[in-house]
Amino acid sequence: VLLARITSFGKSSDYVKQWLRGQEAVLKACGGDTNAKLAADAPPPNLKPAEIDLLKQDRAYQEASISFYVSPQLAIPMFKAIAASNSPHKAAARYNVANILANAKNVVEARVEAKAILADASLASVHDITRELQGYISNIEDTAQGWTELIDATVETLNQPLTAITANPKAEAAYNRAV
């Protein structure tokens, strides 16, 4: 995200500086600071309306990320709201919902959320990590059904024709993970 914002606004822009201050608060929360908060910065001057919307989307994701570390259950509705929007953070937010549910041992809800992510082509950017999360969910759940689903998905990956695997870098990466 930082690279995209630098590309769009410039390394020393007020937008990037504000984004970095937000990330500093996220990292503080990640480090255990339960008082970490985003500064109440006004949008930098001279932003176009679409850029102000992007800033709001970035800040909403940063706020949800702080909650992820400080109080994960409070982060769920925040991430769900982002996932239901047109935010560039939509896919990551949707994944974080499944991740929080899995870490809270809500395996049924986490599995449903993971399957929904994988069924949504618009969330392809988080499909690989979601497949890995399914393994984690199966490990937590430790049931015959969970392991069967995981094994079936692995076998399906391994049974692809070699030409299909080598022709697609994502298919090749999935095959290598399965092996």
Side-chain angles (χ1 to χ4, degrees), residues 77-92:
M78 297 168 83
F79 281 128
K80 282 185 175 182
I82 295 165
S85 73
N86 66 347
S87 170
H89 307 289
K90 175 180 186 158

Side-chain angles (χ1 to χ4, degrees), residues 50-118:
E51 294 168 342
I52 292 172
D53 287 345
L54 179 62
L55 179 64
K56 288 177 183 177
Q57 292 166 340
D58 282 348
R59 290 182 64 82
Y61 190 79
Q62 289 172 326
E63 189 70 45
S65 297
I66 290 169
S67 290
F68 176 88
Y69 295 111
V70 174
S71 182
Q73 292 305 309
L74 295 178
I76 290 175
M78 297 168 83
F79 281 128
K80 282 185 175 182
I82 295 165
S85 73
N86 66 347
S87 170
H89 307 289
K90 175 180 186 158
R94 186 80 185 266
Y95 169 80
N96 278 319
V97 170
N99 186 25
I100 292 168
L101 292 169
N103 284 322
K105 311 286 189 266
N106 294 335
V107 293
V108 173
E109 291 177 67
R111 185 179 302 286
V112 167
E113 189 66 26
K115 284 182 181 179
I117 291 168
L118 294 174

Side-chain angles (χ1 to χ4, degrees), residues 153-166 168 170-172 174-175:
T154 301
V155 169
E156 183 179 330
T157 300
L158 295 173
N159 281 335
Q160 294 180 73
L162 181 60
T163 54
I165 294 167
T166 56
N168 181 331
K170 285 191 172 201
E172 188 172 352
Y175 179 85

Side-chain angles (χ1 to χ4, degrees), residues 29-52:
C30 177
D33 182 348
T34 58
N35 295 313
K37 290 183 176 38
L38 290 180
D41 294 335
N46 303 322
L47 287 183
K48 297 173 187 159
E51 294 168 342
I52 292 172

Side-chain angles (χ1 to χ4, degrees), residues 3-25:
L3 183 57
R5 299 305 175 261
I6 289 172
T7 301
S8 295
F9 298 101
K11 183 170 53 173
S12 59
S13 70
D14 289 336
Y15 188 108
V16 169
K17 289 175 185 174
Q18 190 173 105
W19 186 89
L20 286 169
R21 282 192 299 277
Q23 281 306 109
E24 183 178 5

